[in-house]
């Protein structure tokens, strides 16, 4: 009996030590210095394409642009996009561009706290230093708003941020936005946009019970989006069966109108209204080209 108790005590001590190590285990890597000059206009365009403005603004609630967005209701709780204005207390006013880079590309805050994946940082991991400098320059033009966004409403055990370190180890993947030899410039540009800043896979890829994306079914659709809506498959075969062509899809990304004369609803209507209609015609066509042609063998992976 004494041996059993001693063994249990040892296991308990080891378990506590392991948990303590996990809690203090740092995530992310320190970014190098970014001394590039940013292009405000390009940064503003990238912020629009990436969904920063639509996600972090809640105009219906009367909040100022980028002062915090509407809550995102998920099975894990409600997540409130934070204030991204230049306010030193409620926003990014005291941040450095390097801290901003780490947050955007790695999903880690200035204090080392990992962000919840409701923030789609996984899709921004391939942003270049110039992309970061451009975004940063654009955000520096946003007037300060001393109004913090509400705190996330997340119950136990999802409120334990250290658990995100395990989640990241299991489900955080590089977006793989690089060009592919032998494909057209439009296709490669579309690939970079779809897999990167436009983060189409955030909605159009199914997720497991832990909220990780099933990359074996990339773009196959998701029947369980936050708020109860659904996202259809945008794989090449599904798009073709739905009557989509490159020109029709590019037009829909501008207007929200489908080949049948119907209009997008739900979250996709918001994507068009707040994001894709502001893109250049060339970028909308590039996205449509990539999605209709797919990767090797006509698939998206």
């Amino acid at each position: 009996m004494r041996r059993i108790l001693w063994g249990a005590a040892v296991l308990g001590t080891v378990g506590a030590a392991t948990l303590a190590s996990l809690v203090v285990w740092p995530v992310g890597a320190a970014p190098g210095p970014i001394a590039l000059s940013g292009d405000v206009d390009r940064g503003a365009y990238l912020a629009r394409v990436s969904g920063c403005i639509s996600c972090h603004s809640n105009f219906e609630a009367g909040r100022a642009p980028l002062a915090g967005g509407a809550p995102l209701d998920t099975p894990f709780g409600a997540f409130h996009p934070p204030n991204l204005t230049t306010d030193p207390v409620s926003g990014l006013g005291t941040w450095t561009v390097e801290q901003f880079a780490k947050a955007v590309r790695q999903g880690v805050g200035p204090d080392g706290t990992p962000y919840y994946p409701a923030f789609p940082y996984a899709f921004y991991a391939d942003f270049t230093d110039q992309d970061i400098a451009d975004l940063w320059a654009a955000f520096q033009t946003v007037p300060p708003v001393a109004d913090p966004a509400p705190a996330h409403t997340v119950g136990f055990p999802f409120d334990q941020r250290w658990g995100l370190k395990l989640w990241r180890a299991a489900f955080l993947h590089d977006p793989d936005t690089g060009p592919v030899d032998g494909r057209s410039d439009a296709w490669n540009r579309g690939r970079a946009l779809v897999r990167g800043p436009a983060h189409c896979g955030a909605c159009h890829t199914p997720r497991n019970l832990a909220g990780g994306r099933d990359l074996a079914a990339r773009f196959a659709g998701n029947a369980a989006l936050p708020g109860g809506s659904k996202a259809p498959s945008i794989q090449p075969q599904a798009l073709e069966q739905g009557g989509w062509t490159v020109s029709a899809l590019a037009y829909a990304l501008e207007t929200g109108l489908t080949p049948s004369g119907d209009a997008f609803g739900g979250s996709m209507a918001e994507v068009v209204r707040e994001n894709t209609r502001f893109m250049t015609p060339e970028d909308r066509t590039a996205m449509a080209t990539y999605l209709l042609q797919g990767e090797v063998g006509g698939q998206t992976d």
Side-chain angles (χ1 to χ4, degrees), residues 22 24 32 65 77 122 132 175 199 213 218 227 276 298:
L22 180 62
V24 300
I132 294 296
H199 58 278
R213 285 174 292 133
R218 192 194 302 264
T276 57

Side-chain angles (χ1 to χ4, degrees), residues 42 46 101 104-106 120-132 135 173-179 191-193 195-197:
R42 185 176 183 276
L46 185 55
V104 170
R105 292 192 292 213
Q106 301 182 45
Y121 54 84
F123 296 90
Y124 308 148
D126 288 347
F127 279 9
T128 66
D129 283 356
Q130 188 62 64
D131 292 332
I132 294 296
L135 279 170
H173 305 282
D174 185 88
D176 188 16
T177 60
R191 184 179 200 261
L193 288 167
R195 288 177 170 240

Side-chain angles (χ1 to χ4, degrees), residues 213-231:
R213 285 174 292 133
D214 179 3
L215 296 186
R218 192 194 302 264
F219 303 141
N222 188 344
L225 290 181
S229 59
K230 301 178 181 180

Side-chain angles (χ1 to χ4, degrees), residues 112-212:
T113 300
Y115 290 129
Y116 287 102
F119 170 34
Y121 54 84
F123 296 90
Y124 308 148
D126 288 347
F127 279 9
T128 66
D129 283 356
Q130 188 62 64
D131 292 332
I132 294 296
D134 294 342
L135 279 170
W136 184 246
F139 280 122
Q140 296 308 292
T141 68
V142 180
V145 177
D147 183 13
H152 300 319
T153 307
V154 184
F156 184 83
F158 307 115
D159 60 343
Q160 303 299 301
R161 293 266 187 159
W162 57 264
L164 291 172
K165 300 175 183 180
L166 297 174
W167 188 95
R168 292 167 63 96
F171 304 118
L172 188 58
H173 305 282
D174 185 88
D176 188 16
T177 60
V180 175
D181 291 339
R183 305 306 294 259
S184 68
D185 289 343
W187 185 93
N188 275 312
R189 173 61 175 169
R191 184 179 200 261
L193 288 167
V194 168
R195 288 177 170 240
H199 58 278
C200 302
C203 288
H204 290 275
T205 297
R207 295 178 181 266
N208 57 34
L209 293 177

Side-chain angles (χ1 to χ4, degrees), residues 1 7 39 43 48 67 80 85 100 119 123 126 132 140 144 161 171 173 205-206 213 221 231 241 243 245 253 257 280:
M1 185 65 168
D39 184 319
R48 180 68 77 175
H80 296 261
T85 72
F100 179 73
F119 170 34
F123 296 90
D126 288 347
I132 294 296
Q140 296 308 292
R161 293 266 187 159
F171 304 118
H173 305 282
T205 297
R213 285 174 292 133
Q241 290 176 347
T245 63
L253 292 173
L257 297 177
T280 64

